[in-house]
Amino acid sequence: MPVNARSPHSNRPLLKILIPLALAAITTIVTVHFSPHLTTLFQTPISIASPPPEIQNILNGKRKIVTLGDSITAAGKYTGGYVWLMQRYLNALYPNQKIEIINAGISGNKSTDMQQRFQQDVIDKKPDLVTINVGVNDVWHAFFDFNTQQFDPEGKVPKGVPLAIYRQKLTEMVKAAQAAGIKVALLSPTPIREVLDGPENLRLPQYIATMRQVAIDNKCLYIDLNSPFREVLIAFQKHGGRSFNLLAADGVHPNQAGNRIIAYTILRSLGISDKDIQSVQVKY
């Protein structure tokens, strides 16, 4: 080798120092730019969201929401429940709006029960918006006799509500709310047990389709809660087999994961963006 030639190994000690330092710097830059958790350490908090036009219209005046429903809604007032989550998201996103949510869920209620108490529990509260979550018990009680604890695979238990009655009672509630100047959001029933091809869930689509048609006929908001549940359950069951209470504590009443899906879907359907919703970290 000539005297002036450089040895190929002469700079290796320096390279051993510089290469790790360069890799560390690149890793830090990539992490800061692409990790949503670390970026919050270096950025100013996201500014308070401006309510989209639909939210502003719904919440004019008293800025009050009544959530009408059965035990799913009644339990929604507790920590982690969908009503509880909605209140905290709205408080964080629109602190100056002072939005109030009144929970009007009663366990075991069907469309017949809700229509009967609609004046007292909804109209008399003078809300700007009512969400109506009804249909699970109308179908479920036709398949399961809660007095005898017997399951009827044909769904002929008389405690269920026939489809025509369901349509009638739902329509009466929508028209009563609209006559009182209250905006309406109809929330479709979520699956009944996590056996998606079970008899309850084979009948349930008729009630969901009826609710959607009532919304169309009366020009009110329809929010599909059933599809997100089914999508999650189908994806899980594809890779993990039949699920057991994945989204519902007993197959019907949502657990923390199910309640998050409900709250998120409602807020998105009201016009709140993903970015705004995800800017809020709700502590349980």
Side-chain angles (χ1 to χ4, degrees):
M1 177 183 297
V3 175
N4 293 332
R6 293 185 179 180
S7 167
H9 304 292
S10 61
N11 290 331
R12 280 189 176 178
L14 181 60
L15 289 174
K16 287 181 179 180
I17 297 173
L18 292 177
I19 290 173
L21 286 174
L23 290 174
I26 293 170
T27 301
T28 301
I29 293 170
V30 170
T31 301
V32 169
H33 278 283
F34 294 101
S35 170
H37 301 292
L38 290 180
T39 51
T40 57
L41 298 176
F42 301 98
Q43 294 177 349
T44 55
I46 296 174
S47 61
I48 297 302
S50 298
E54 187 172 358
I55 290 290
Q56 291 175 333
N57 292 338
I58 287 173
L59 299 178
N60 279 339
K62 295 184 179 180
R63 301 181 177 89
K64 186 185 296 182
I65 301 171
V66 170
T67 55
L68 182 71
D70 49 34
S71 56
I72 292 173
T73 298
K77 68 183 177 182
Y78 298 113
T79 301
Y82 86 86
V83 181
W84 182 90
L85 283 167
M86 285 175 59
Q87 183 71 76
R88 274 142 191 82
Y89 276 112
L90 293 174
N91 287 350
L93 290 169
Y94 313 120
N96 297 325
Q97 297 280 0
K98 305 299 181 185
I99 302 169
E100 176 188 9
I101 300 181
I102 299 174
N103 191 314
I106 295 181
S107 179
N109 263 202
K110 294 167 277 196
S111 57
T112 48
D113 304 299
M114 294 185 206
Q115 188 276 329
Q116 197 170 39
R117 62 185 178 90
F118 198 77
Q119 177 70 43
Q120 177 182 341
D121 289 353
V122 178
I123 294 177
D124 289 351
K125 305 298 182 185
K126 300 186 186 327
D128 302 287
L129 168 69
V130 59
T131 63
I132 304 177
N133 184 12
V134 61
V136 167
N137 289 327
D138 297 66
V139 174
W140 190 21
H141 288 204
F143 287 89
F144 191 78
D145 190 325
F146 286 84
N147 292 327
T148 64
Q149 296 294 297
Q150 296 295 314
F151 178 76
D152 178 6
E154 296 186 4
K156 294 183 178 180
V157 179
K159 293 289 186 180
V161 175
L163 187 60
I165 301 297
Y166 175 78
R167 180 187 295 107
Q168 175 191 339
K169 298 302 179 182
L170 187 58
T171 301
E172 289 176 2
M173 287 189 281
V174 171
K175 288 186 177 297
Q178 292 178 334
I182 302 168
K183 292 185 178 293
V184 180
L186 299 180
L187 313 180
S188 75
T190 47
I192 303 171
R193 299 189 301 129
E194 296 185 350
V195 183
L196 297 180
D197 58 355
E200 307 100 317
N201 288 319
L202 293 179
R203 181 178 294 181
L204 193 62
Q206 301 173 39
Y207 288 72
I208 294 173
T210 294
M211 174 180 280
R212 185 186 295 111
Q213 191 59 51
V214 169
I216 293 171
D217 293 343
N218 293 278
K219 297 179 174 58
C220 62
L221 183 62
Y222 168 77
I223 300 177
D224 183 5
L225 301 179
N226 193 273
S227 292
F229 269 66
R230 290 182 65 89
E231 289 170 11
V232 171
L233 292 172
I234 289 170
F236 179 87
Q237 291 174 3
K238 177 181 177 181
H239 300 286
R242 288 294 177 96
S243 60
F244 181 72
N245 301 344
L246 181 71
L247 299 178
D250 56 359
V252 175
H253 299 90
N255 56 22
Q256 190 174 100
N259 275 299
R260 283 187 64 86
I261 291 175
I262 293 175
Y264 191 94
T265 304
I266 293 172
L267 294 173
R268 284 288 291 113
S269 298
L270 290 177
I272 303 176
S273 70
D274 287 321
K275 178 181 177 182
D276 286 338
I277 298 171
Q278 293 181 21
S279 72
V280 177
Q281 292 186 354
V282 176
K283 295 183 179 180
Y284 292 90

